[in-house]
Amino acid sequence: ASNFRSTAELIAAEFTTQTGHAVRLSTASTGKLHAQILHGAPFDVLLAADADSPRLLDESGAGVAGTRFTYAIGILVLWSAAADAANCRSDLDKSGQFRVAIANPLTAPYGRAAETFLRSAGLWESLTPQLVYGENVAQALHFAVSGNARYALVAKSQTLDATLPSATCAWQVPADAHAPLLQQAILLQHAAGNTAAKDFLSFLQGEIARDTIRRSGYGVP
Amino acid sequence: MDLGPLWLSVQLASITMLLLLLIGTPLGWWLARTRSRLRPVLQAIVALPIVLPPTVLGFYLLILLGPAGSLGEWWFRLSGESLTFSFAGLVIASCIYSLPFAVQPIMSAFEAVRQSDLEAAWTLGADRRDAFFSIALPQSLRGYLNAAILSFAHTLGEFGVVLMVGGNIPGETRVISIAIYDQVESLQYAAAHQLSAILLVFAFAVLLAMFALNRQWRQQ
Amino acid sequence: MDLGPLWLSVQLASITMLLLLLIGTPLGWWLARTRSRLRPVLQAIVALPIVLPPTVLGFYLLILLGPAGSLGEWWFRLSGESLTFSFAGLVIASCIYSLPFAVQPIMSAFEAVRQSDLEAAWTLGADRRDAFFSIALPQSLRGYLNAAILSFAHTLGEFGVVLMVGGNIPGETRVISIAIYDQVESLQYAAAHQLSAILLVFAFAVLLAMFALNRQWRQQ
Amino acid sequence: MSSVGEIALRYQLQRGDFSLQVALQLPLSGITGIFGASGAGKTTLLRCIAGLEEAPGSELLVAGERWQDAISSRPAHAREIGYVFQEPRLFSHLDVRANIEYGMRRSPRREAAEFAAVIALLGIDKLLDRKPAELSGGEAQRVAIARALMRAPRFVLMDEPLASLDAARKSEILPYLERLHAESSIPIFYVSHNIDEICCLCDHLVVLDNGHVAASGELQSVLVRMDLPQVMGDAAGSILDGRIANFDANYSLSLLTFAGGELWLPGQLGNIGDRYRLRIRANDVSLSRKRPRDTTVLNLLDVVIEAVQDAPPATQLVRLLAGQQRLVARITRRSREELNLQPGDRVVAQVKAVAVRRPELGE
Amino acid sequence: MSSVGEIALRYQLQRGDFSLQVALQLPLSGITGIFGASGAGKTTLLRCIAGLEEAPGSELLVAGERWQDAISSRPAHAREIGYVFQEPRLFSHLDVRANIEYGMRRSPRREAAEFAAVIALLGIDKLLDRKPAELSGGEAQRVAIARALMRAPRFVLMDEPLASLDAARKSEILPYLERLHAESSIPIFYVSHNIDEICCLCDHLVVLDNGHVAASGELQSVLVRMDLPQVMGDAAGSILDGRIANFDANYSLSLLTFAGGELWLPGQLGNIGDRYRLRIRANDVSLSRKRPRDTTVLNLLDVVIEAVQDAPPATQLVRLLAGQQRLVARITRRSREELNLQPGDRVVAQVKAVAVRRPELGE
Ligand SMILES: Nc1ncnc2c1ncn2[C@@H]1O[C@H](COP(=O)(O)OP(=O)(O)OP(=O)(O)O)[C@@H](O)[C@H]1O
Ligand SMILES: Nc1ncnc2c1ncn2[C@@H]1O[C@H](COP(=O)(O)OP(=O)(O)OP(=O)(O)O)[C@@H](O)[C@H]1O
Ligand SMILES: [Mg+2]
Ligand SMILES: [Mg+2]
């Protein structure tokens, strides 16, 4: 998935130095990748941003049974470059006419998580008129970074990027306020006999990769 | 089946089309008639928006139209409203993105207007403005039709720019292209097929009507 | 800075443009000249691909061109290769998506060719084919130029269809529009700005050259 | 430079190899013919007057109004002219009626009756609902003439308007143009390469040759100039001004008297007492020493030979004085020597009555 | 239906109110004039012959070849004709040279020398590098003529090709067309509303009136038909065929003899013994009972009056027999009564020598 792109690049580079196998990354939204895999994409491994797509692939036989696992757990943060840093969370309650950007709950797991969080906080009804929906978390963050929205509920991994304008507020949403953001990987039928791909999956579960993933702002199982 | 997004799309496409025909008229006329050396430069600039991927163009428009952007700030001070995430913003973004598809056909049609006809109109007492409206414009109706069709269809199908600038707000900026996109992304293929079919049938009907009109003009 | 995607884009846009000029020629000629009642129908069909959001169109093309799709299966049996996720597939998808932008200007130019000129050519011994190549085509050069510019620029900027059908594979289907998109998505704004600027400057240069050529033809 | 009732112009412009260099002072009344070979610059001159050519540094004064000078140029639409172009230039998106009404709408002075009259005269009443593409060449040109006339212009520029018309149609339209000019006194500038048309219509004549003015002046004086045989070709002739003195209803002949004689002309040409002008081609005049008898030549005039000019290879032009009127005869050199014709001789000029040209009506 | 050396056609088509209904059999040799008023259907007829009009159910046979019948129609490009349209129709994207070469390239029979000759004759040598937009009206038409001629056609269709040309240019091009026809024996179908041009050029004449054939036949026989005054207008006249018998170098006069008399014509018209044909307009012939003396009229012919026909209102046409040759004279009704001219009378016809028309060259 595209939100994992820079992390995946780091891991792939490490994998290549260790094994000599080159890794080619094709990034797109999980929905697109899913459709592509169903229609013969020459992909070996899917790193999805959710657990649904790998499960469906697993069940339909497009993925190799038993190779599915969670490689990262997303962390939702409330990000703003304009809000009062001290009262970040409570500021949201009285955000007034300010826009709040979330990823589209229909298409993005972080969007669903954001919705659950807002509902559980009792803010959903009052905030609905202020919500704007990004295609994904990246777009939700664009809305906030460009000043068009005051808040964005995005992935923690994104907010660690050094090139972003400094946040006045980055409040980590408690993990129990939404369903866990499991990001699962699966070996695809295309690579059923490909040992390098299997090696990559093992590597992804290994300590080096887990460390990288953790440093990139995700949880690990 | 929620047809709100279709209705919104039709509004957006129609308004964009009309605005582009309005903008395309002086621009196309100038481009068609000028002997200025700037002509190729301006033509290239007009064509430039389509070179950027829509989402990226949308990204830059987001900055330009946002409260921090020059245009957005000006608009905000004027109207007290934000350009981004609003229908007005969508219209502006669509106009920029579809501009070349309106300007090119209009310009071509204006280029085909014979100088000799304009001269005849002048000697019959029509000033430049009058000759434009009574000769050049009616002789270019088919160019306008092509411009209308291309810009309408292109706006109907656009979603990258619109999604970025509009923020996918139901009832305000969630147009049909975004709605279908969402369904494909969330793997609801059946619903996507259905909505696509509706859009296609609708668009086909509109296009067919326009082209049939064209045929009538031609036969006159 | 990796300029591979730019190069790939230029290849894709050039090939698509050339193919579309080839396809647009008989199609545009037929549409411009026929008195068939099917004309508006065919025109509407040609314009239809742009009505769908690119990603959605890409989705359907993915089905059509994929190994299970009719076209894809036929191609696979023929060449042993898959159409999707290959450069060939990208070219086909781009051609379908940009078709109207090539056909419309060519058709308009052909419509402007005077019947009286064709008649004169016939009486001078040119058969229909000959008259087409010696009269209609050279008199329509500017329509071709417009078609070339629109389809080239549109393909350069396209990414929804390309992303879906091509799969963003570096060196094969990762064109510059996708590369910029990726950078924007992963918040690498500086790199995205840089790549956008390169694309814009390059596209501007190409467009300027083409329009300047146009100007020369016009002055002749 | 120009007085009221005059048009004064000085144009110089360059188009490729061709250069137009003209300075003219023309009366803003009557019909002025502009005559010259193909490529002489006739169309270019009309375009200049209409304001359709850029010619910096040129001047145009119309009835004392400055239409163009070194600094400014009045735009074409404000010049209130009617222009019949060399090709019809009808607006293809409008039908014939709308084409004609185009100019009318933009100048409030035309009446419906006039419209009907022009339409009928030009024989285009049945064409009003057609599109220009459905007209024959001559029909289109007639519509173009109607369009220019119905625009109520201060003067009319006509670029070979009758070239594509047949003789019958021509001989219908020519008198209408004369009448138009006589009744409304709209001045007309009339380009033609047909000297018959010009002589029939014009009071003034400008002869253009390769972008320069070869001659300009009152029609008669230019016509009897015998130094322009190359330019004028067969066109030499003369004009007689007279009055209708009698009409012989039995034979349908009109008697025209003028200071210097009388002529019988076929047809009823007007009311008795009307002024009448006619052109006599040099080719239609022959000379004898004595009055011939028993001949079908009706018209014999007593004249004095004023001058004789060679027109190589075989003919000579003889200028004659009939009272105060000048005539030109073209005779063969042999005849002249046989009859030994000399300036000062009194001879008899035979004018074939049927060969006279259509006259100009009115005062 | 048609024999070799003939063109036989039967066309019927409808365009709006206008309907063309013609059946003609014309010789595929010489020059055939097509004469008629504006809107009579001249252009439509040429377009039919060229294969540019759809006219189902029509027939066209050219020299025994079936070009069109109920089933099929040979396409325009395969008809090997040269077509000079009523308007120039030059290709705007090609310069003058390329326009002319367009047809040459597609028919291999033309030579460079011929190109140079046509170019020089039409006076367009200096225009070869121009674009059509930079030509005057007459220049463009000349280029169009050159283009059609250089295509090496089996026959040529010309739609008022000289209407936009001045007299001098016309009188240069006409003999070229005659020579072209004489040397290459390319048949020409020549539309014109100018009877002078037609008489000067044509062997055959078709008169069209409102889509129908009013008359068709050998030129002389159509011209002396006196039942067509409305259609023919001033065009009545006759043709004399003779031989050049003498040339008077002193006076530059040629003597033409024919069965029935002799005429002196100005200029050196050819070598002694050459055949020569000339047209004499009815307007240029007058009649007397006795031979006039001391007159500049050189040419007096003894003739017998064959028939007299009224040409209202004031004139009459008199058909005369000079030997085997027919002449037509137009005289006023009064003259006729004064002289009491009756069929069978022997009279003297005066023909103004300078009024004769340009002859056809060659055998
Ligand atoms: N599409 C049409 N619809 C109606 N009438 C038409 C159409 N095309 C031609 N006509 C009529 O057919 C008649 C013959 O036209 P044509 O061009 O043959 O005339 P023409 O003899 O060449 O006349 P001209 O000397 O003016 O060129 C005209 O009266 C014209 O108005
Ligand atoms: N753009 C141009 N470039 C070069 N020469 C030109 C251009 N426009 C006109 N000319 C020349 O100018 C001359 C005058 O043209 P104009 O049209 O005034 O002639 P005209 O007297 O009207 O001739 P015609 O009787 O043939 O219509 C012509 O010799 C023409 O070739
Ligand atoms: Mg001219
Ligand atoms: Mg015609």
Side-chain angles (χ1 to χ4, degrees):
Chain A
S2 38
N3 69 327
F4 198 67
R5 181 184 147 92
S6 41
T7 315
E9 274 168 1
L10 292 175
I11 295 172
E14 287 159 359
F15 177 67
T16 305
T17 35
Q18 280 209 356
T19 66
H21 290 299
V23 178
R24 286 204 293 171
L25 294 172
S26 169
T27 48
S29 70
T30 305
K32 285 193 197 74
L33 293 172
H34 186 90
Q36 289 171 337
I37 290 162
L38 289 182
H39 293 98
F43 299 152
D44 299 327
V45 167
L46 171 67
L47 304 188
D50 61 7
D52 294 347
S53 170
R55 180 175 49 77
L56 285 174
L57 292 174
D58 198 352
E59 287 166 3
S60 71
V64 178
T67 59
R68 185 156 60 95
F69 67 95
T70 300
Y71 65 89
I73 300 167
I75 299 167
L76 188 67
V77 295
L78 178 67
W79 190 93
S80 176
D84 183 352
N87 309 310
C88 193
R89 163 66 185 81
S90 50
D91 214 28
L92 187 60
D93 298 347
K94 47 183 191 335
S95 68
Q97 80 277 25
F98 295 123
R99 293 285 188 185
V100 178
I102 65 174
N104 191 345
L106 262 177
T107 58
Y110 283 92
R112 264 190 306 279
E115 180 178 343
T116 319
F117 157 63
L118 290 177
R119 279 188 193 284
S120 66
L123 288 171
W124 180 254
E125 309 290 290
S126 60
L127 273 183
T128 298
Q130 271 102 269
L131 287 181
V132 292
Y133 303 93
E135 178 187 357
N136 47 37
V137 267
Q139 213 175 68
L141 190 53
H142 294 325
F143 291 155
V145 167
S146 62
N148 286 284
R150 191 175 176 101
Y151 295 101
L153 279 160
V154 293
K156 181 180 181 194
S157 58
Q158 300 172 288
T159 62
L160 300 181
D161 196 306
T163 61
L164 280 187
S166 54
T168 58
C169 147
W171 176 72
Q172 191 161 330
V173 177
D176 56 5
H178 57 82
L181 286 160
L182 300 182
Q183 304 199 171
Q184 292 199 330
I186 189 169
L187 185 68
L188 298 171
Q189 213 48 259
H190 183 260
N194 185 335
T195 49
K198 289 177 187 156
D199 288 351
F200 181 75
L201 283 181
S202 327
F203 183 78
L204 190 59
Q205 286 170 291
E207 204 39 55
I208 301 174
R210 286 164 65 90
D211 195 40
T212 307
I213 292 170
R214 223 180 280 115
R215 271 188 287 113
S216 300
Y218 297 92
V220 286
Chain B
M1 174 102 337
D2 178 15
L3 287 184
L6 176 60
W7 173 228
L8 201 62
S9 273
V10 171
Q11 281 182 298
L12 178 64
S14 308
I15 293 175
T16 301
M17 179 188 88
L18 287 178
L19 279 178
L20 281 180
L21 294 186
L22 281 183
I23 298 167
T25 298
L27 196 55
W29 183 249
W30 188 82
L31 287 175
R33 294 276 142 183
T34 183
R35 292 193 210 136
S36 160
R37 298 178 147 247
L38 285 180
R39 185 182 125 108
V41 177
L42 212 89
Q43 283 180 307
I45 290 175
V46 166
L48 221 44
I50 46 172
V51 169
L52 283 179
T55 321
V56 176
L57 179 69
F59 177 65
Y60 289 117
L61 287 177
L62 193 66
I63 294 172
L64 180 73
L65 303 179
S70 45
L71 198 64
E73 199 192 338
W74 171 83
W75 179 266
F76 189 81
R77 259 189 283 154
L78 206 77
S79 69
E81 284 179 29
S82 166
L83 262 184
T84 44
F85 312 126
S86 71
F87 190 74
L90 281 198
V91 170
I92 294 179
S94 299
C95 281
I96 292 175
Y97 188 48
S98 292
L99 184 63
F101 301 118
V103 172
Q104 289 286 357
I106 293 177
M107 188 189 76
S108 293
F110 283 154
E111 277 172 348
V113 171
R114 283 187 302 272
Q115 184 68 15
S116 62
D117 273 17
L118 295 177
E119 286 181 355
W122 299 339
T123 65
L124 289 166
D127 60 19
R128 310 249 151 177
R129 214 184 106 92
D130 186 356
F132 172 79
F133 284 107
S134 58
I135 306 296
L137 207 61
Q139 290 191 353
S140 304
L141 281 187
R142 302 176 62 209
Y144 273 85
L145 191 82
N146 280 338
I149 287 169
L150 287 185
S151 57
F152 183 85
H154 196 244
T155 306
L156 216 53
E158 216 303 290
F159 91 110
V161 176
V162 163
L163 185 58
M164 191 63 116
V165 174
N168 197 0
I169 301 170
E172 186 154 2
T173 61
R174 177 176 294 169
V175 294
I176 189 160
S177 53
I178 298 182
I180 302 179
Y181 173 77
D182 282 352
Q183 285 166 343
V184 170
E185 287 290 285
S186 55
L187 315 183
Q188 299 171 23
Y189 294 143
H193 292 334
Q194 206 178 1
L195 212 51
S196 294
I198 291 176
L199 176 61
L200 281 180
V201 167
F202 170 80
F204 186 77
V206 172
L207 292 179
L208 195 62
M210 286 169 116
F211 281 117
L213 195 69
N214 184 346
R215 190 180 146 86
Q216 271 209 338
W217 283 339
R218 191 191 187 199
Q219 282 179 338
Q220 267 180 10
Chain C
M1 173 103 335
D2 178 15
L3 287 183
L6 176 61
W7 174 228
L8 201 62
S9 272
V10 171
Q11 280 182 301
L12 178 65
S14 309
I15 293 175
T16 302
M17 178 188 89
L18 288 178
L19 280 178
L20 281 180
L21 294 187
L22 281 183
I23 299 167
T25 298
L27 195 56
W29 184 247
W30 187 82
L31 287 174
R33 294 276 142 183
T34 184
R35 291 192 211 137
S36 161
R37 296 175 148 251
L38 286 179
R39 184 182 125 107
V41 177
L42 211 89
Q43 284 181 307
I45 291 176
V46 166
L48 220 45
I50 45 172
V51 168
L52 284 178
T55 318
V56 176
L57 180 69
F59 174 65
Y60 289 115
L61 287 178
L62 192 65
I63 297 174
L64 180 73
L65 302 180
S70 46
L71 198 65
E73 198 192 338
W74 171 83
W75 178 267
F76 190 80
R77 260 188 285 154
L78 204 81
S79 70
E81 283 179 30
S82 167
L83 261 186
T84 44
F85 315 110
S86 71
F87 190 74
L90 280 199
V91 170
I92 293 179
S94 299
C95 281
I96 292 175
Y97 188 49
S98 292
L99 184 63
F101 302 118
V103 172
Q104 289 286 357
I106 293 177
M107 189 189 75
S108 292
F110 283 154
E111 277 173 347
V113 172
R114 284 186 302 270
Q115 182 70 12
S116 62
D117 273 16
L118 295 177
E119 287 182 354
W122 300 337
T123 65
L124 289 167
D127 60 19
R128 310 249 151 178
R129 214 185 103 91
D130 186 355
F132 172 79
F133 284 108
S134 58
I135 305 296
L137 208 60
Q139 290 190 353
S140 305
L141 281 186
R142 302 176 60 206
Y144 273 85
L145 191 81
N146 280 338
I149 287 169
L150 286 185
S151 58
F152 183 86
H154 196 245
T155 307
L156 216 53
E158 217 303 291
F159 93 109
V161 177
V162 164
L163 182 58
M164 195 59 133
V165 175
N168 195 2
I169 301 169
E172 187 154 359
T173 60
R174 176 177 294 166
V175 294
I176 190 160
S177 53
I178 298 182
I180 300 179
Y181 174 76
D182 276 352
Q183 284 167 343
V184 170
E185 287 294 280
S186 51
L187 311 177
Q188 299 168 21
Y189 293 145
H193 292 334
Q194 206 178 2
L195 213 50
S196 295
I198 290 175
L199 176 60
L200 282 179
V201 167
F202 169 79
F204 186 78
V206 172
L207 293 179
L208 195 62
M210 286 168 118
F211 282 116
L213 195 68
N214 184 347
R215 191 180 145 85
Q216 270 208 336
W217 283 339
R218 190 191 188 201
Q219 281 179 337
Q220 265 179 12
Chain D
M1 180 179 173
S2 136
S3 74
V4 175
E6 250 187 8
I7 176 168
L9 56 86
R10 202 165 45 71
Y11 277 104
Q12 43 207 28
L13 57 79
Q14 190 77 30
R15 292 285 177 274
D17 294 341
F18 174 80
S19 90
L20 182 77
Q21 302 267 359
V22 295
L24 282 168
Q25 212 149 334
L26 300 169
L28 204 51
S29 67
I31 304 183
T32 302
I34 299 171
F35 181 76
S38 172
K42 308 182 290 296
T43 300
T44 310
L45 177 60
L46 287 203
R47 289 176 56 82
C48 284
I49 297 176
L52 297 176
E53 288 284 342
E54 266 182 48
S58 298
E59 277 179 43
L60 175 62
L61 262 90
V62 174
E65 292 172 26
R66 195 162 280 276
W67 281 18
Q68 184 161 4
D69 58 20
I71 308 150
S72 69
S73 172
R74 183 184 287 205
H77 73 270
R79 294 197 178 193
E80 290 181 85
I81 49 160
Y83 196 146
V84 182
F85 293 90
Q86 199 163 0
E87 66 290 349
R89 296 203 184 182
L90 300 182
F91 303 131
S92 56
H93 65 296
L94 300 177
D95 63 13
V96 167
R97 185 192 305 279
N99 261 283
I100 298 174
E101 285 175 351
Y102 190 92
M104 283 171 74
R105 290 247 174 77
R106 284 160 179 82
S107 35
R109 276 174 280 157
R110 283 292 182 220
E111 285 155 31
E114 226 168 332
F115 180 81
V118 168
I119 296 306
L121 173 99
L122 291 161
I124 51 181
D125 15 7
K126 285 189 190 134
L127 310 177
L128 288 176
D129 296 323
R130 295 240 195 110
K131 281 286 173 107
E134 301 167 357
L135 301 177
S136 81
E139 287 164 350
Q141 191 63 25
R142 281 180 271 156
V143 173
I145 296 174
R147 185 175 68 172
L149 294 181
M150 292 311 295
R151 179 251 193 290
R154 283 177 58 177
F155 57 90
V156 181
L157 305 171
M158 295 195 162
D159 200 348
E160 311 199 14
L162 307 184
S164 57
L165 297 184
D166 54 289
R169 189 58 73 182
K170 246 183 210 172
S171 59
E172 269 173 58
I173 295 177
L174 280 178
Y176 172 78
L177 292 183
E178 288 156 2
R179 199 147 17 94
L180 174 89
H181 150 59
E183 285 169 11
S184 61
S185 72
I186 291 183
I188 299 177
F189 294 85
Y190 190 92
V191 163
S192 177
H193 52 247
N194 183 333
I195 195 72
D196 282 350
E197 260 171 58
I198 285 197
C199 289
C200 169
L201 272 178
C202 301
D203 311 305
H204 253 72
L205 180 56
V206 175
V207 180
L208 283 187
D209 187 23
N210 194 22
H212 292 80
V213 177
S216 166
E218 192 264 322
L219 177 65
Q220 171 78 323
S221 70
V222 175
L223 280 182
V224 299
R225 263 176 74 175
M226 296 190 299
D227 57 339
L228 300 167
Q230 265 79 302
V231 183
M232 300 294 287
D234 262 3
S238 54
I239 302 292
L240 283 191
D241 277 314
R243 263 176 209 285
I244 296 174
N246 201 352
F247 175 64
D248 179 339
N250 187 22
Y251 293 112
S252 186
L253 291 174
S254 299
L255 181 68
L256 184 80
T257 57
F258 59 98
E262 52 179 46
L263 292 170
W264 283 101
L265 309 177
Q268 180 159 16
L269 302 174
N271 296 321
I272 291 174
D274 279 358
R275 271 198 189 219
Y276 202 87
R277 221 179 68 166
L278 62 89
R279 155 163 154 81
I280 299 171
R281 300 195 316 163
N283 288 355
D284 286 331
V285 179
S286 52
L287 303 176
S288 19
R289 286 271 174 202
K290 296 184 200 144
R291 291 208 153 234
R293 289 173 183 281
D294 288 344
T295 169
T296 57
V297 177
L298 267 185
N299 297 305
L300 302 171
L301 299 174
D302 293 307
V303 296
V304 178
I305 293 176
E306 214 182 28
V308 180
Q309 160 93 28
D310 223 31
T315 64
Q316 298 197 314
L317 293 176
V318 182
R319 196 158 71 212
L320 310 164
L321 213 54
Q324 269 98 60
Q325 289 279 357
R326 284 216 169 73
L327 283 176
V328 180
R330 187 193 294 270
I331 61 177
T332 60
R333 206 143 46 83
R334 173 155 132 185
S335 298
R336 190 206 155 197
E337 293 197 6
E338 280 182 2
L339 298 184
N340 189 27
L341 301 176
Q342 296 297 342
D345 286 2
R346 304 194 151 269
V347 291
V348 176
Q350 306 183 19
V351 180
K352 271 218 63 164
V354 287
V356 294
R357 293 297 158 186
R358 193 169 281 281
E360 182 187 350
L361 290 173
E363 289 287 334
Chain E
M1 179 179 171
S2 135
S3 73
V4 175
E6 250 185 9
I7 175 168
L9 57 87
R10 202 165 45 72
Y11 277 105
Q12 41 207 29
L13 57 79
Q14 190 77 29
R15 294 284 177 274
D17 296 340
F18 174 80
S19 90
L20 182 76
Q21 302 266 359
V22 295
L24 281 168
Q25 211 149 335
L26 300 169
L28 204 51
S29 66
I31 304 183
T32 302
I34 299 172
F35 181 75
S38 173
K42 308 181 293 294
T43 300
T44 310
L45 177 60
L46 287 203
R47 288 176 57 82
C48 283
I49 297 176
L52 298 176
E53 289 283 341
E54 266 183 48
S58 298
E59 276 180 44
L60 175 61
L61 262 90
V62 174
E65 293 171 25
R66 196 163 280 275
W67 281 18
Q68 184 161 3
D69 58 21
I71 309 151
S72 69
S73 172
R74 183 184 288 204
H77 73 269
R79 294 198 178 192
E80 290 181 84
I81 50 160
Y83 196 147
V84 182
F85 294 89
Q86 199 163 359
E87 67 290 350
R89 294 203 185 184
L90 300 182
F91 302 132
S92 57
H93 64 296
L94 300 177
D95 63 14
V96 167
R97 184 192 306 277
N99 262 282
I100 297 174
E101 286 174 351
Y102 190 92
M104 284 172 72
R105 288 247 175 76
R106 284 157 180 85
S107 35
R109 276 175 281 157
R110 284 290 183 220
E111 283 155 33
E114 226 166 330
F115 180 82
V118 168
I119 295 306
L121 174 96
L122 291 160
I124 51 180
D125 18 5
K126 285 188 189 135
L127 311 177
L128 288 176
D129 296 323
R130 295 237 195 114
K131 281 285 172 107
E134 300 167 357
L135 301 177
S136 81
E139 287 164 350
Q141 192 61 23
R142 281 181 271 156
V143 173
I145 295 174
R147 186 175 66 171
L149 294 181
M150 291 312 295
R151 178 249 192 292
R154 282 176 59 177
F155 58 89
V156 181
L157 305 171
M158 295 194 163
D159 200 348
E160 312 200 13
L162 308 185
S164 57
L165 297 185
D166 54 289
R169 189 58 75 182
K170 245 183 212 173
S171 59
E172 267 174 58
I173 295 177
L174 279 178
Y176 173 79
L177 292 182
E178 289 155 2
R179 197 145 20 93
L180 174 88
H181 151 60
E183 284 169 12
S184 61
S185 72
I186 292 184
I188 299 177
F189 295 86
Y190 190 93
V191 163
S192 177
H193 52 248
N194 184 335
I195 195 71
D196 282 349
E197 260 171 57
I198 285 197
C199 289
C200 169
L201 271 179
C202 301
D203 311 307
H204 253 73
L205 179 57
V206 175
V207 180
L208 283 186
D209 187 22
N210 195 22
H212 292 80
V213 176
S216 167
E218 193 261 322
L219 177 66
Q220 171 78 321
S221 70
V222 175
L223 280 182
V224 299
R225 267 176 71 175
M226 296 190 299
D227 57 340
L228 300 167
Q230 265 79 301
V231 183
M232 300 294 288
D234 262 3
S238 55
I239 301 292
L240 283 191
D241 277 314
R243 262 176 212 285
I244 296 173
N246 201 352
F247 175 66
D248 179 338
N250 188 20
Y251 292 114
S252 186
L253 291 174
S254 298
L255 182 68
L256 183 81
T257 57
F258 60 97
E262 53 178 44
L263 292 169
W264 282 103
L265 309 176
Q268 180 159 16
L269 303 175
N271 295 322
I272 291 175
D274 280 359
R275 270 197 191 220
Y276 201 86
R277 222 179 67 167
L278 62 89
R279 153 163 157 81
I280 299 173
R281 301 193 316 162
N283 287 354
D284 286 330
V285 180
S286 53
L287 303 175
S288 19
R289 285 273 173 201
K290 297 185 198 142
R291 289 209 153 234
R293 290 174 181 279
D294 288 344
T295 167
T296 55
V297 178
L298 266 186
N299 297 305
L300 302 172
L301 299 174
D302 293 309
V303 295
V304 178
I305 294 177
E306 213 182 29
V308 180
Q309 162 92 28
D310 221 30
T315 64
Q316 298 198 314
L317 291 176
V318 182
R319 196 158 70 213
L320 310 164
L321 211 57
Q324 270 98 58
Q325 290 280 355
R326 284 215 169 75
L327 282 176
V328 179
R330 186 193 294 273
I331 62 177
T332 61
R333 206 141 49 82
R334 172 154 133 186
S335 297
R336 189 204 155 199
E337 294 197 7
E338 280 183 0
L339 297 185
N340 188 26
L341 300 176
Q342 298 296 342
D345 287 1
R346 306 195 149 269
V347 292
V348 177
Q350 306 182 18
V351 179
K352 271 220 64 166
V354 287
V356 295
R357 293 298 156 188
R358 192 168 282 281
E360 182 186 348
L361 290 173
E363 288 285 335

